[in-house]
Each structure stands twice: as C-alpha cells, then as structure tokens.
Amino acid sequence: MPVDFDTIVNLSKKRGFVFQSSEIYGGLRSAYDYGPLGVELLRNVKEQWWHSMVRMRDDVVGLDSAVIQAPQVWEASGHLASFTDPLVECTNCNNRYREDKLDNVDQCPSCGKWGMFTEAKHFNLMFKTHMGPIESSDNVVYLRPETAQGIFINFENVRRTARLKLPFGIAQIGKSFRNEITPGQFVFRTREFEQMEMEFFCRPEEAEEWFRYWIEERRNWYIDLGMKPENLQFREHEQDELSHYSAGTFDVDYKFPWGFDELEGIANRTDFDLKAHMEKSGKDLTYFDQEANERFVPYVIEPAAGATRTTFAFLIDAYTEEAVGDETRIVLKLDSRLSPIKVGVLPLSKKPNLIEVSSKLADDLRRAFPVEHDVTQSIGRRYRRQDEIGTPYCVTVDFDTLDDQAVTIRDRDTMAQDRVSIDKVKAYLAERL
Ligand code: ATP
C-alpha cells in the first residue's frame, strides 16, 4: 500500500531525517534542515549520482561553480526576462497561487469562491541581493536558480584544461534558489534546494541519439538504486509545454502520495545557451573539430535532477509496513548504498563485559562502514529503530559471545540471522554491502 504523506513526514521528523528550519523561532516556511540521518541519506544520493555520472565515465568531468555569478549570465540565459511564474491572488481571501498549478483557474482552493482571482502577474523567481556594502541598482546580483549556467560559462575553461573532445559532459551538484510562489509538500518544493545537473555537449546531428541515450541511463540509475519501476514514469513534453531553449524534454515523474510529479527533466537544450553567452560576452565558445576540419556550436543534452526531491522520493519508495505475527513492522527498504547507517551494533544488555566487546567491534567496523553503536533501550526497540532508519544489518553481541567469540547478524529485509565469528564479521558485511 502506498505510504501517506503525513506518515512519511512524521517518520522524517521523529527519526531525525528532516527538521523544520528555525523551529525554535516558530519555523521558516518551506525551509528545512537535514538531521543526522537525513544528511547521510542526501549525501548518499548525491554520491551515487556523482559516481554514475562522473567517476564511472571517461567522457564526463565535474565542476563546482559559484552561486553568485555576473548578472549578465542571467540576462543571456533568458532568466531575467522569462524565468517567471504566473501569480494570481484571490481578492476574497488574499491567498496567492501559481495559475498554471491550479486545478480550476476560476475557483480559489482556499475559500472556494469563484471568479475572484486577479489577472496573472509574471513574477520573477530569482532571489535578488546586492554585492558589497552599498545597495544600488549597479550592484544587484542573483542567487543562481539553476546550476546549469555555471557549466555553460565555464565550457571553454573546462574543455581546454581537461583537453576534452566531443562528445563530453560537465556535471555539477549544488544549491539553487527559487522564490517559489507556492512552495510545499514538505521538501518537494522549497525555495532553497539542491540540484544534480549534467550538460552533455555533442555534435548537433548526434543530439537526438544522445537525448535517447541519457533518458535510458537515467531510468537505469533510479531502478538500479531500488526505486520501484511502477512508481516511475517518463513523460515526453508536448510541443506547447517546451521551455524556450528546448527541442525536446522528458520529465521523470515519481508517484508521490499526491500523484505523479517531477523528479528530473531531461532536455535537448540545443545550442541555445552557448550561443546566448557568445553573443552577450563576445567570447568565442565554438568548438573546432580537427578531424572534420569544422567549427560549430555544440548541442547539449541536459539531465537535470533535484537532489533533495530525489532523496524524498527514495525515502517514500523505501517505506514498508509488514505484518510480523500480530504486530506491524516498519522498515525502510533502502538500497544499502543509500542507507544512512549500514551496520547497527547492539549489545544485548548494558553489562560492562558485553559493552566492552561491542564497542571494540563497532570501532573496528567503523573504519569500513557507517556504524551506529546503540546501547539504549530494550533490544526489540533497538531493532525497530534500525529497521525504521533502513539499516541493512544489525550485529548483536550476546552472553554467548563471551564464550564462543561469535555474534548474530540479522538481515533487515529477511530478518534471517547468521551466527558469525567476530573475526569474520567485517568480511561477512563487506561481501554484502
Ligand atoms: P517544477 O515544474 O516542479 O517547478 P522545473 O521544471 O522548473 O520544476 P527544472 O528547472 O527542470 O524544474 O529543475 C530540475 C530539477 O530541479 C527538477 O526536476 C526538480 O527535481 C528540482 N527542483 C526544481 N525546483 C525545485 C524546488 N523549488 N524545490 C526542490 N527541487 C526543485
């Protein structure tokens, strides 16, 4: 059964995945802080993306560009003129909405009144600030609304220094900021979020083929990390839905508790961005193909995913309730590469001779895996906690350990237990994690 929204939000808060930002001051709407487990899960999602998009390939390199860039970047990219959402306000209850996200453009979802909306105003989503001590129109800068432009403006720097030949990609993970009109659904839509974007540059005539290639690569990434295929949907944009720069876009949608919604967009951005920056900066961003003796502006295929949103989707997808006898067991069936903690080390009791053995074992395992050494509460409760946070293996040190120098290792999903000698525990886990 699909998990409902409140259950997953409550689990996130209760176990320390995600907290409301500025909670002690009453909370800042739509901003969230990632707790001890959330930060590990988020890092693991980003690490897996980086691993598959950069480390495992010899045609993609990484970049980490500044959040604040020259304002001309956003003029050239079109964000200043057209990165807007249509804002409408209900004149009865004063609630504001994004017109394109309303179920019915005539009826207010808050007060239910008909025909009370103002004309749509085009509201620019970029956060504006000033660089330096004086606030004037000469020193306005923007927080980047996407990581992609940092890649385009470094196209030539990266190509030259990394001595790259087409086709090649430049990948970046980092924070982006959008002054969303209607943030919400927990961490799904926030004003500060993290993106994982890759710009893959190629010859124009090969763009369509690479576009199809990246759609498949991205599908495989989600499924390989355990996302249920029936909860994923790849949807091609209609001609009238396409962004100003795109010759084709696929949305990767996930089945959230409120329905299918976007995790990632994969677009054929053509030569729009490089051309726009060439025009604005006056710099040559063409590519010279020595073999063909030809100079041209490359096309670009962009898989652009949200790290925070994807982390939320993995959390939802992993949530499972199982009947065990007449109790319900809650388990996060996360792929072990994503699990915040890989091994729970649990001494059966707080007796010093058991703790001595379990601490030593935990310290040893910590060199290889993220470990939680948990000595509080009853053993049943500790198993429950580890199941709920998705720990794939629990190692229990019991009274027999003192005699047989062996421990019990429990598998999260099957709950099967193996008795393993202490000196073999690391190898046993390494084989499975
Ligand atoms: P939406 O239609 O949901 O506003 P978008 O199509 O504008 O998103 P893109 O510009 O394609 O989004 O950004 C790429 C990815 O960045 C999205 O698929 C999403 O995962 C993530 N993203 C975009 N906006 C937000 C946000 N406000 N909060 C969290 N993640 C976001």
Side-chain angles (χ1 to χ4, degrees):
M1 217 182 60
V3 54
D4 71 75
F5 183 69
D6 290 342
T7 306
I8 206 79
V9 171
N10 290 339
L11 177 90
S12 299
K13 290 184 178 164
K14 178 174 130 201
R15 292 303 186 189
F17 282 94
V18 179
F19 306 120
Q20 175 77 59
S21 173
S22 318
E23 204 176 87
I24 61 167
Y25 291 105
L28 180 67
R29 203 176 141 237
S30 115
Y32 293 93
D33 300 336
Y34 288 76
L37 297 173
V39 67
E40 294 288 345
L41 179 59
L42 178 60
R43 282 175 76 122
N44 291 343
V45 168
K46 291 186 287 186
E47 193 53 44
Q48 285 305 316
W49 187 89
W50 196 258
H51 181 74
S52 100
M53 300 298 268
V54 182
R55 293 267 163 79
M56 294 299 287
R57 305 187 63 99
D58 66 1
D59 56 356
V60 180
V61 294
L63 179 77
D64 192 2
S65 72
V67 165
I68 299 174
Q69 299 163 17
Q72 292 94 318
V73 171
W74 311 110
E75 283 172 34
S77 67
H79 282 82
L80 209 50
S82 59
F83 193 56
T84 56
D85 275 339
L87 167 73
V88 290
E89 185 171 334
C90 172
T91 49
N92 181 54
C93 70
N94 298 112
N95 274 308
R96 295 186 180 129
Y97 295 96
R98 225 174 108 172
E99 191 183 38
D100 58 328
K101 296 275 175 188
L102 285 172
D103 288 334
N104 188 325
V105 289
D106 290 323
Q107 190 185 21
C108 174
S110 294
C111 66
K113 284 265 167 26
W114 290 80
M116 301 294 273
F117 281 129
T118 54
E119 282 282 302
K121 265 196 287 198
H122 288 279
F123 171 76
N124 196 295
L125 298 180
M126 284 199 291
F127 274 94
K128 221 192 252 185
T129 185
H130 294 90
M131 190 100 145
I134 295 158
E135 284 192 18
S136 89
S137 57
D138 297 338
N139 61 6
V140 169
V141 288
Y142 303 91
L143 303 188
R144 68 178 176 202
E146 62 173 32
T147 57
Q149 296 304 323
I151 297 177
F152 294 123
I153 59 174
N154 278 293
F155 169 76
E156 188 52 22
N157 282 339
V158 175
R159 185 203 63 76
R160 198 183 60 247
T161 53
R163 298 162 302 152
L164 297 166
K165 286 206 166 82
L166 287 186
F168 67 85
I170 307 175
Q172 161 152 244
I173 297 179
K175 291 240 173 172
S176 293
F177 302 82
R178 296 181 188 179
N179 204 357
E180 299 275 1
I181 297 171
T182 41
Q185 280 129 329
F186 200 41
V187 296
F188 177 81
R189 186 181 302 285
T190 48
R191 294 188 170 117
E192 173 181 346
F193 56 97
E194 277 192 275
Q195 290 189 305
M196 310 185 283
E197 297 194 297
M198 197 272 287
E199 307 303 321
F200 194 79
F201 301 94
C202 63
R203 295 185 64 92
E205 67 276 17
E206 291 173 3
E208 182 60 24
E209 202 181 311
W210 283 112
F211 181 45
R212 302 285 148 187
Y213 169 88
W214 281 109
I215 293 166
E216 282 321 301
E217 281 295 293
R218 296 301 303 141
R219 188 198 308 273
N220 294 340
W221 185 79
Y222 290 103
I223 291 172
D224 177 57
L225 281 172
M227 201 169 264
K228 297 182 190 81
E230 66 271 24
N231 291 342
L232 273 177
Q233 172 181 282
F234 282 65
R235 190 181 67 85
E236 185 155 21
H237 277 209
E238 302 289 338
Q239 211 56 34
D240 61 356
E241 246 185 297
L242 292 175
S243 325
H244 57 284
Y245 53 74
S246 176
T249 298
F250 259 84
D251 276 353
V252 183
D253 290 346
Y254 178 75
K255 195 173 180 183
F256 284 96
W258 58 91
F260 276 102
D261 221 333
E262 182 181 325
L263 280 185
E264 169 164 358
I266 305 169
N268 176 354
R269 286 180 86 127
T270 68
D271 54 6
F272 176 87
D273 301 271
L274 287 180
K275 269 195 174 150
H277 288 301
M278 264 188 9
E279 215 165 277
K280 185 92 196 157
S281 68
K283 297 283 183 313
D284 183 10
L285 302 178
T286 56
Y287 175 85
F288 183 65
D289 184 331
Q290 274 176 337
E291 272 155 47
N293 194 26
E294 227 185 312
R295 187 171 280 288
F296 56 91
V297 182
Y299 265 40
V300 66
I301 306 303
E302 173 194 75
T308 36
R309 217 180 250 191
T310 302
T311 298
F312 187 34
F314 275 118
L315 197 61
I316 295 170
D317 211 64
Y319 183 91
T320 315
E321 289 184 6
E322 282 177 357
V324 179
D326 37 6
E327 285 197 13
T328 304
R329 182 171 89 112
I330 296 169
V331 202
L332 275 191
K333 294 197 169 175
L334 286 169
D335 183 283
S336 63
R337 289 167 290 179
L338 299 181
S339 295
I341 305 288
K342 315 286 186 224
V343 188
V345 177
L346 319 174
L348 193 63
S349 92
K350 276 190 183 160
K351 292 262 160 36
N353 47 356
L354 287 195
I355 302 264
E356 194 187 322
V357 178
S358 65
S359 311
K360 200 157 156 269
L361 179 60
D363 284 345
D364 183 37
L365 294 176
R366 230 186 281 285
R367 294 157 178 265
F369 322 100
V371 168
E372 191 168 276
H373 182 218
D374 189 0
V375 300
T376 55
Q377 301 181 315
S378 74
I379 189 77
R381 280 191 173 212
R382 282 180 279 158
Y383 275 137
R384 268 209 295 283
R385 170 182 160 81
Q386 296 301 332
D387 283 346
E388 275 190 34
I389 67 174
T391 306
Y393 292 99
C394 282
V395 178
T396 307
V397 174
D398 54 30
F399 291 103
D400 291 338
T401 306
L402 301 175
D403 300 325
D404 66 0
Q405 298 299 309
V407 291
T408 302
I409 304 184
R410 170 186 178 268
D411 179 299
R412 175 195 70 200
D413 297 341
T414 61
M415 291 197 288
Q417 304 203 348
D418 274 342
R419 193 80 185 162
V420 179
S421 129
I422 289 183
D423 57 357
K424 302 251 162 52
V425 171
K426 211 190 237 171
Y428 177 101
L429 293 169
E431 226 172 75
R432 292 164 175 80
L433 285 169

